[in-house]
Amino acid sequence: MTEPAQSKVDMEKLVSLCRRRGFIFPSSEIYGGLSSCWDYGPLGVELKRNIKDAWWRAVVQQRDDMVGLDASILMHPQTWQASGHLEGFSDPLVECKGCHLRWRSDELNADCCPECGGELTEPRLFNLMFKTFMGPVEDEASIVYLRPETAQGMFVNFENVLNTTRKRLPFGIAQIGKSFRNEVTTGNFIFRSREFEQMEIEYFVRPGTDKEWFDYWVEERLNWYASLGIRRQNLKLRPHTKEELAHYARECSDINYLFPMGWAELEGIANRGDFDLVQHAKSSGKTLSYYDEETKEHIVPYIIEPSAGVDRTFLAILCDAYDEDIAEGEKRVLLHLNPDLAPIKAAVLPLSRKETLAPMAKELYADLRKKWMVSYDDAQSIGRRYRRQDEIGTPFCVTIDFESLEDKQVTIRERDSLRQIRVPIDSLKTTLQAKLAGEDLFVLPPGGKVWKE
Ligand code: ATP
């Protein structure tokens, strides 16, 4: 397979679509915005939630060996001592403005980035963690940090999860939540921000089986992105070289996506060995190990960590779905979103605003929205309304016309192919359900017919 050199999507167009249709707004916009912070609008919040739900279904709901967790953002400060975050991030750092690699300025011999030759930021004593105070007194003793990753919440709860779920190795903990990093440079829309959301797995395995589980998770995670409809040619695995491995990692591979600004990390998968449990055991004085009933031995499991970003997945999905074509003689922008991810699953469109059609259309709308996010639109021409739905990735439009009053049938229009069928109202819900699950539009319910090829 030849690798595409460049994304076909223009970031400007995506940002503009997100802004125009209410997917993403700059944070605190009325005050001029807050650098690198973003607000997910009415459609963005739906798409984002659908991404998180898809991840949760795949890694928790449909597996016997995984459980979920929702740890607090603020953690005991000792956590960050043990994890190495307090120490590791308080060096004078410079960051490359091009590839974003950070360098200890005191160890650097050149005045440009050793990796790519890019321009460097000014050095500063830098701790990536946001600091705040717990309680009314703002002194050293009350300092706490906003977590820079969700992972530590899972390590410190290892024993709690083990004792309460009676899981046997190998098993994992999954968590979705906000993380905060005072990044030196931010940018590329939601790709790198200071407040973002992660979907992380900590998978505990027997030492010696870690290599095979690492490979398993790399494959599993690549398949997950493909299952969302992301084209495989836009995904690439990038194994880390020995020199760039983080201090805790035995092996690491990034899943990269071809974003408009080039290939960049979507998810990192690391074999962390026993580093985290050993560190937290030392720091807390607790025994963080697993008792093997068969061999009567205490084992410190190794950890495989697939760590993904919700916001970067959101951006990758938008990039992959964005398209422009000519439909019904007009230029249209459309998002080929997987129906599972689409913010709105169907739009109910009465052909005219006339009073005669409204009761039937509103009744259908009320019924469908018990099951799905559905929108109702009766403003402007039907063509304009179709365009509006195409642009936000709504897979199906349901149109009620004057004949519907007589024959109790409605048309369903498919976003990508523009094909239409006409089905009895009684079978609308089951038909939509089947089509949303991927059934071909022209598989018809009893009484249904092809309307438009
Ligand atoms: P990068 O090298 O791009 O800074 P990283 O290697 O520091 O990323 P990890 O610590 O491996 O990132 O975090 C796991 C995932 O969390 C990343 O793959 C990414 O999807 C997401 N992530 C990390 N930092 C940010 C950020 N500042 N903004 C948005 N998402 C982020």
Side-chain angles (χ1 to χ4, degrees):
M1 190 168 52
T2 48
E3 195 176 272
Q6 208 179 323
S7 165
K8 293 206 175 77
V9 190
D10 181 341
M11 187 77 103
E12 297 278 299
K13 285 188 179 172
L14 278 187
V15 175
S16 150
L17 171 66
C18 284
R19 177 87 196 72
R20 192 168 69 243
R21 299 309 313 272
F23 281 92
I24 298 173
F25 308 122
S27 161
S28 339
E29 199 178 8
I30 60 166
Y31 293 108
L34 180 65
S35 150
S36 93
C37 291
W38 301 95
D39 295 346
Y40 287 78
L43 292 176
V45 72
E46 296 298 332
L47 174 53
K48 198 180 190 201
R49 204 181 45 213
N50 293 340
I51 292 169
K52 291 190 277 184
D53 284 351
W55 185 85
W56 197 263
R57 273 199 303 277
V59 309
V60 179
Q61 190 180 321
Q62 293 168 0
R63 298 183 64 110
D64 286 333
D65 57 350
M66 295 280 301
V67 291
L69 186 79
D70 185 7
S72 65
I73 288 174
L74 301 176
M75 298 180 70
H76 194 290
Q78 228 175 307
T79 308
W80 310 113
Q81 198 85 52
S83 69
H85 281 88
L86 269 179
E87 207 183 315
F89 287 127
S90 52
D91 297 320
L93 293 186
V94 291
E95 184 172 309
C96 172
K97 291 181 181 172
C99 69
H100 297 294
L101 282 179
R102 292 185 201 104
W103 308 93
R104 290 260 304 260
S105 58
D106 51 344
E107 288 178 357
L108 214 60
N109 299 323
D111 54 6
C112 60
C113 173
E115 180 72 13
C116 72
E119 193 189 340
L120 298 169
T121 58
E122 284 298 308
R124 50 186 284 212
L125 242 196
F126 202 74
N127 192 307
L128 216 60
M129 287 195 293
F130 281 94
K131 207 190 264 186
T132 186
F133 301 95
M134 188 113 145
V137 185
E138 298 196 356
D139 62 7
E140 277 291 308
S142 57
I143 289 177
V144 288
Y145 300 91
L146 302 188
R147 66 181 177 201
E149 59 181 31
T150 69
Q152 301 300 325
M154 294 183 268
F155 303 142
V156 302
N157 275 295
F158 169 71
E159 210 186 3
N160 286 337
V161 171
L162 198 58
N163 292 341
T164 51
T165 63
R166 299 171 61 234
K167 287 281 174 214
R168 297 277 156 255
L169 287 184
F171 75 93
I173 308 179
Q175 172 162 233
I176 301 177
K178 287 262 172 135
S179 293
F180 303 81
R181 294 183 191 178
N182 200 1
E183 300 276 6
V184 184
T185 45
T186 55
N188 289 318
F189 197 25
I190 52 172
F191 178 82
R192 187 183 303 280
S193 50
R194 296 200 167 98
E195 173 179 341
F196 55 96
E197 213 164 352
Q198 291 184 305
M199 308 182 278
E200 295 197 293
I201 296 169
E202 304 303 334
Y203 197 75
F204 303 90
V205 306
R206 275 170 207 278
T209 64
D210 47 312
K211 172 72 186 134
E212 117 201 16
W213 281 111
F214 176 83
D215 293 342
Y216 165 87
W217 276 109
V218 167
E219 198 53 34
E220 195 68 11
R221 296 301 303 142
L222 269 172
N223 290 340
W224 184 73
Y225 289 106
S227 79
L228 300 182
I230 294 185
R231 274 161 282 203
R232 188 61 185 79
Q233 66 190 27
N234 290 337
L235 293 165
K236 184 163 78 171
L237 207 60
R238 192 186 75 81
H240 285 207
T241 60
K242 282 258 171 316
E243 293 68 44
E244 66 177 317
L245 281 181
H247 60 285
Y248 52 77
R250 300 175 156 248
E251 188 172 4
C252 190
S253 269
D254 292 341
I255 295 179
N256 284 1
Y257 178 78
L258 185 55
F259 289 101
M261 67 284 186
W263 290 97
E265 178 180 335
L266 188 54
E267 168 160 353
I269 299 153
N271 177 351
R272 302 179 67 112
D274 60 7
F275 176 82
D276 307 282
L277 291 180
V278 166
Q279 284 296 108
H280 285 300
K282 255 197 245 162
S283 182
S284 65
K286 298 269 188 296
T287 312
L288 298 181
S289 64
Y290 171 88
Y291 183 66
D292 188 332
E293 303 280 356
E294 278 167 34
T295 62
K296 311 283 181 224
E297 276 177 321
H298 287 277
I299 307 172
V300 180
Y302 277 17
I303 297 175
I304 309 300
E305 177 191 72
S307 171
V310 178
D311 314 83
R312 288 189 192 178
T313 306
F314 189 110
L315 186 58
I317 282 167
L318 277 188
C319 291
D320 236 80
Y322 186 91
D323 200 5
E324 292 171 10
D325 68 4
I326 304 287
E328 290 137 3
E330 259 183 67
K331 187 176 161 214
R332 71 168 176 165
V333 170
L334 80 160
L335 294 180
H336 296 284
L337 288 176
N338 174 332
D340 270 351
L341 301 180
I344 306 290
K345 309 299 180 201
V348 174
L349 313 175
L351 194 63
S352 111
R353 250 185 176 166
K354 289 228 169 70
E355 302 252 308
T356 38
L357 292 185
M360 185 186 239
K362 290 219 164 116
E363 198 183 318
L364 271 184
Y365 173 52
D367 189 36
L368 295 180
R369 68 196 297 205
K370 284 184 202 151
K371 200 165 166 55
W372 298 292
M373 283 301 295
V374 177
S375 77
Y376 185 91
D377 188 0
D378 61 4
Q380 298 181 315
S381 76
I382 193 75
R384 292 285 282 276
R385 285 183 270 162
Y386 284 151
R387 294 296 97 78
R388 277 205 285 274
Q389 296 302 327
D390 294 340
E391 199 182 39
I392 62 168
T394 305
F396 299 103
C397 288
V398 176
T399 309
I400 295 96
D401 53 32
F402 292 100
E403 255 183 275
S404 305
L405 299 173
E406 307 300 319
D407 66 3
K408 305 282 180 271
Q409 297 207 340
V410 290
T411 54
I412 301 177
R413 170 197 182 264
E414 194 179 59
R415 174 195 66 206
D416 296 353
S417 66
L418 303 167
R419 297 181 305 173
Q420 293 186 23
I421 57 174
R422 195 162 175 92
V423 301
I425 285 173
D426 287 350
S427 53
L428 176 62
K429 232 169 165 175
T430 49
T431 306
L432 269 182
Q433 176 148 5
K435 307 308 171 200
L436 285 166
E439 186 184 69
D440 187 89
L441 190 74
F442 285 170
V443 175
L444 298 166
K449 50 184 173 278
V450 170
W451 201 244
K452 197 174 140 210
E453 294 279 352

